[in-house]
Amino acid sequence: MGARPERVQASRRLLQPRIEPADYCPAAERAGHRARGRYTVPMLFDRKKIYEGRVIQVSVDTVDLPNGVRTPLELVRHPGGAAAVAIDADNRVCLLRQYRHAAGGYIYELPAGKLEPGEAPEVTIRRELAEEAATSASRWESLGTFFSSPGVFTEVIHLYLATDLAPAAGTPESDEVFEVEWWPLEEAAAKACSGELTDAKTIIGILRAVARRKIA
C-alpha cells in the first residue's frame, strides 16, 4: 500500500510560505479566477522540479491542502493558450484538420496557439488565426476561459468569437501539418454534441459560440 497522506497541525501550516497564484498558475491568474475566488491556493511545502522543456515544466509539489492534508501533486505548468471560433458571412466556422501525434492521427480543431511570455491572449489569437487560417477579423468577443485538465495541468485556454472576417497572409510553422476547412456552424455544433469532434477546446468553443449567437 502507498503512504497515506499526512495530516498536519494548523499551527504548523501557518509557518509554511503561501504560494501565490501568479507562481502556481499564471494562466489562471490572467483568466481572473483569483479575483473571483474560484479556487483556493494551497500552501507549498516543497517543490521538486522534474523536467523543463520548450513549452512545459513538470514538478512534484508537496502541498498542504485546505482540509489539512499534506500530499504530493504532480503538476505540468503550461503558459496557456487561445482559440478562435471564426464564423464567416455564410455562417460557416473555420476548422483545421490537423495531425496530432498524441492523438494518433488527424483531428479537427479550432485555430489556436500558446501564449508567448508576457503576451495577452487577444494578441495570441489574432496572430494564430492569420497564420493558420489566413484570416483576420474586425470583431472579437470573449467566450470565456476553461482549464484543460486541472487535475495535473495549469493550462487555461481563452476562447474568442471572431466575425467580420477578411483574408490575411497565412504563414503556418513548418512543424504544423493541417488543412483548413469551413463547416456550416449547425453541422459543427451537431458533431460537437455527438462526439464526432473530440478536441475539448473545439467542442467548448463551438457550443459557447452557438449559445452566444442565439442569445444575441
Side-chain angles (χ1 to χ4, degrees), residues 115-153:
L115 276 59
E116 298 298 332
E119 184 176 59
E122 296 88 349
V123 175
T124 301
I125 194 52
R126 288 175 185 269
R127 180 186 66 249
E128 295 296 331
L129 184 61
E131 289 181 357
E132 296 184 340
T135 300
S136 65
S138 60
R139 183 177 181 185
W140 293 86
E141 300 175 55
S142 173
L143 293 173
T145 62
F146 72 94
F147 286 99
S148 61
S149 183
V152 295
F153 228 31

Coordinates of all heavy atoms in Angstrom, one line a residue, residues 115-153:
L115 N 0.2 31.0 -25.6 CA 0.6 32.3 -25.2 C 2.1 32.4 -25.1 O 2.8 31.6 -24.5 CB 0.0 32.8 -23.9 CG -1.4 33.3 -23.9 CD1 -2.4 32.3 -24.5 CD2 -1.9 33.7 -22.5
E116 N 2.7 33.4 -25.7 CA 4.1 33.7 -25.6 C 4.3 34.4 -24.3 O 3.4 35.0 -23.7 CB 4.7 34.5 -26.7 CG 4.6 33.8 -28.1 CD 5.4 32.5 -28.2 OE1 6.4 32.4 -27.4 OE2 5.0 31.6 -28.9
P117 N 5.5 34.4 -23.7 CA 5.8 35.1 -22.4 C 5.3 36.6 -22.4 O 5.7 37.3 -23.3 CB 7.3 35.0 -22.2 CG 7.7 33.8 -23.0 CD 6.7 33.7 -24.2
G118 N 4.5 36.9 -21.5 CA 4.0 38.3 -21.3 C 3.0 38.7 -22.4 O 2.6 39.9 -22.4
E119 N 2.5 37.8 -23.2 CA 1.6 38.1 -24.3 C 0.2 38.0 -23.8 O -0.2 37.1 -23.2 CB 1.9 37.2 -25.4 CG 1.1 37.5 -26.7 CD 1.5 36.6 -27.8 OE1 1.3 35.4 -27.7 OE2 1.9 37.2 -28.9
A120 N -0.7 39.0 -24.2 CA -2.1 39.0 -23.9 C -2.7 37.9 -24.9 O -2.3 37.8 -26.0 CB -2.7 40.3 -24.1
P121 N -3.7 37.2 -24.4 CA -4.4 36.2 -25.2 C -5.0 36.8 -26.5 O -5.1 36.1 -27.5 CB -5.4 35.5 -24.3 CG -5.6 36.5 -23.2 CD -4.3 37.2 -23.0
E122 N -5.5 38.0 -26.4 CA -6.1 38.7 -27.6 C -5.0 38.8 -28.7 O -5.3 38.7 -29.9 CB -6.6 40.1 -27.2 CG -7.8 40.0 -26.3 CD -7.3 40.1 -24.8 OE1 -6.1 39.9 -24.6 OE2 -8.1 40.2 -23.9
V123 N -3.8 39.1 -28.3 CA -2.7 39.2 -29.3 C -2.4 37.8 -29.9 O -2.2 37.7 -31.1 CB -1.5 39.8 -28.7 CG1 -0.3 39.8 -29.7 CG2 -1.8 41.2 -28.2
T124 N -2.3 36.8 -29.0 CA -2.0 35.5 -29.5 C -3.0 35.0 -30.5 O -2.6 34.5 -31.6 CB -2.1 34.5 -28.3 OG1 -1.2 34.9 -27.3 CG2 -1.8 33.1 -28.7
I125 N -4.3 35.1 -30.3 CA -5.3 34.5 -31.2 C -5.4 35.3 -32.5 O -5.7 34.7 -33.5 CB -6.7 34.4 -30.5 CG1 -7.5 33.5 -31.3 CG2 -7.3 35.8 -30.2 CD1 -6.9 32.1 -31.6
R126 N -5.2 36.6 -32.5 CA -5.2 37.3 -33.8 C -4.0 36.8 -34.6 O -4.2 36.6 -35.9 CB -5.0 38.8 -33.5 CG -6.2 39.5 -32.9 CD -6.0 40.9 -32.6 NE -7.1 41.6 -31.9 CZ -8.1 42.2 -32.6 NH1 -8.1 42.3 -33.9 NH2 -9.1 42.7 -31.9
R127 N -2.9 36.6 -34.0 CA -1.7 36.0 -34.8 C -2.0 34.6 -35.3 O -1.7 34.3 -36.5 CB -0.5 36.0 -33.9 CG 0.8 35.5 -34.6 CD 2.0 35.4 -33.7 NE 1.7 34.4 -32.7 CZ 1.6 34.6 -31.4 NH1 1.7 35.9 -30.9 NH2 1.4 33.6 -30.5
E128 N -2.5 33.8 -34.5 CA -2.8 32.4 -34.8 C -3.8 32.3 -35.9 O -3.7 31.4 -36.8 CB -3.1 31.6 -33.6 CG -2.0 31.5 -32.5 CD -0.8 30.7 -33.0 OE1 -1.0 29.9 -33.9 OE2 0.3 31.1 -32.6
L129 N -4.9 33.1 -35.8 CA -5.9 33.0 -36.9 C -5.3 33.4 -38.2 O -5.6 32.7 -39.3 CB -7.1 33.9 -36.5 CG -8.3 33.8 -37.5 CD1 -8.9 32.4 -37.5 CD2 -9.3 34.9 -37.1
A130 N -4.5 34.4 -38.3 CA -3.9 34.8 -39.5 C -2.9 33.7 -40.0 O -2.9 33.4 -41.2 CB -3.1 36.1 -39.3
E131 N -2.1 33.2 -39.1 CA -1.0 32.2 -39.5 C -1.7 30.9 -40.0 O -1.2 30.4 -41.0 CB -0.1 32.0 -38.4 CG 0.9 33.1 -38.0 CD 1.8 32.8 -36.9 OE1 1.7 31.6 -36.3 OE2 2.7 33.6 -36.6
E132 N -2.7 30.5 -39.3 CA -3.2 29.1 -39.6 C -4.3 29.1 -40.6 O -4.4 28.2 -41.4 CB -3.7 28.5 -38.3 CG -2.5 28.2 -37.3 CD -3.0 27.5 -36.0 OE1 -4.2 27.5 -35.7 OE2 -2.1 26.9 -35.4
A133 N -5.2 30.1 -40.5 CA -6.4 30.1 -41.4 C -6.3 31.2 -42.5 O -7.3 31.3 -43.2 CB -7.6 30.3 -40.5
A134 N -5.2 32.0 -42.5 CA -5.1 33.1 -43.5 C -6.3 34.0 -43.4 O -6.9 34.4 -44.4 CB -4.9 32.5 -44.9
T135 N -6.7 34.3 -42.2 CA -8.0 35.0 -41.9 C -7.7 36.1 -40.8 O -7.0 35.8 -39.9 CB -9.1 34.1 -41.5 OG1 -9.3 33.2 -42.6 CG2 -10.4 34.9 -41.3
S136 N -8.3 37.2 -41.0 CA -8.4 38.2 -39.9 C -9.8 38.5 -39.6 O -10.7 38.2 -40.4 CB -7.6 39.5 -40.4 OG -8.3 40.1 -41.5
A137 N -10.0 39.2 -38.5 CA -11.4 39.5 -38.1 C -11.4 40.9 -37.5 O -10.5 41.3 -36.8 CB -11.9 38.5 -37.0
S138 N -12.4 41.7 -37.8 CA -12.5 43.0 -37.3 C -13.4 43.1 -36.0 O -13.4 44.1 -35.3 CB -13.1 44.0 -38.3 OG -14.4 43.6 -38.7
R139 N -14.1 42.0 -35.7 CA -14.9 42.0 -34.5 C -14.5 40.7 -33.7 O -14.5 39.6 -34.2 CB -16.4 41.9 -34.8 CG -17.3 41.9 -33.6 CD -18.7 42.0 -33.9 NE -19.6 42.0 -32.7 CZ -20.9 41.9 -32.7 NH1 -21.5 41.8 -33.9 NH2 -21.6 42.0 -31.6
W140 N -14.2 41.0 -32.4 CA -13.8 39.9 -31.5 C -14.6 40.0 -30.2 O -14.8 41.1 -29.7 CB -12.3 40.0 -31.1 CG -11.4 39.8 -32.3 CD1 -11.0 40.7 -33.2 CD2 -10.8 38.5 -32.6 NE1 -10.1 40.1 -34.1 CE2 -10.0 38.8 -33.7 CE3 -10.8 37.3 -32.0 CZ2 -9.2 37.8 -34.3 CZ3 -10.0 36.2 -32.6 CH2 -9.3 36.5 -33.8
E141 N -15.1 38.8 -29.7 CA -15.8 38.8 -28.5 C -15.3 37.6 -27.6 O -15.0 36.5 -28.2 CB -17.3 38.5 -28.7 CG -18.0 39.5 -29.6 CD -19.4 39.1 -29.9 OE1 -20.2 38.8 -28.9 OE2 -19.8 39.0 -31.0
S142 N -15.1 37.8 -26.4 CA -14.6 36.8 -25.5 C -15.7 35.7 -25.3 O -16.9 36.1 -25.0 CB -14.2 37.3 -24.2 OG -13.8 36.3 -23.2
L143 N -15.3 34.5 -25.3 CA -16.2 33.4 -25.0 C -15.8 32.7 -23.7 O -16.2 31.6 -23.4 CB -16.3 32.3 -26.1 CG -16.9 32.8 -27.4 CD1 -16.7 31.7 -28.5 CD2 -18.4 33.1 -27.3
G144 N -15.0 33.4 -22.9 CA -14.6 32.9 -21.6 C -13.4 32.0 -21.7 O -12.7 31.9 -22.7
T145 N -13.1 31.4 -20.6 CA -11.9 30.5 -20.4 C -12.3 29.2 -19.9 O -13.4 29.0 -19.4 CB -10.9 31.2 -19.5 OG1 -11.5 31.3 -18.2 CG2 -10.4 32.5 -20.0
F146 N -11.4 28.2 -19.9 CA -11.6 27.0 -19.2 C -10.2 26.3 -18.9 O -9.2 26.6 -19.6 CB -12.5 26.0 -20.0 CG -11.8 25.4 -21.2 CD1 -11.2 24.2 -21.2 CD2 -11.9 26.1 -22.5 CE1 -10.6 23.7 -22.4 CE2 -11.3 25.6 -23.6 CZ -10.7 24.4 -23.6
F147 N -10.2 25.5 -17.9 CA -9.0 24.7 -17.6 C -9.0 23.4 -18.5 O -10.1 22.7 -18.5 CB -9.0 24.3 -16.1 CG -8.6 25.4 -15.2 CD1 -9.6 26.1 -14.5 CD2 -7.3 25.7 -15.0 CE1 -9.3 27.1 -13.6 CE2 -6.9 26.7 -14.1 CZ -7.9 27.4 -13.4
S148 N -7.9 23.1 -19.1 CA -7.9 21.9 -20.0 C -7.9 20.6 -19.2 O -8.6 19.7 -19.6 CB -6.7 22.0 -20.9 OG -5.5 22.0 -20.2
S149 N -7.2 20.6 -18.1 CA -7.2 19.4 -17.3 C -6.6 19.7 -15.9 O -5.5 19.5 -15.6 CB -6.3 18.3 -17.9 OG -6.3 17.1 -17.2
P150 N -7.5 20.3 -15.0 CA -7.0 20.9 -13.8 C -6.4 19.9 -12.7 O -5.9 20.4 -11.7 CB -8.2 21.6 -13.2 CG -9.4 20.9 -13.8 CD -8.9 20.5 -15.2
G151 N -6.6 18.6 -12.9 CA -6.0 17.7 -12.0 C -4.5 17.7 -12.1 O -3.8 17.4 -11.0
V152 N -3.9 18.0 -13.2 CA -2.5 17.9 -13.4 C -1.9 19.1 -14.2 O -0.7 19.4 -14.1 CB -2.0 16.6 -14.1 CG1 -2.3 15.4 -13.3 CG2 -2.7 16.5 -15.5
F153 N -2.8 19.9 -14.9 CA -2.3 20.9 -15.8 C -2.7 22.2 -15.4 O -3.9 22.5 -15.0 CB -3.0 20.6 -17.2 CG -2.2 20.5 -18.4 CD1 -0.8 20.1 -18.3 CD2 -2.7 20.9 -19.6 CE1 0.0 20.1 -19.4 CE2 -1.9 20.8 -20.7 CZ -0.6 20.5 -20.7

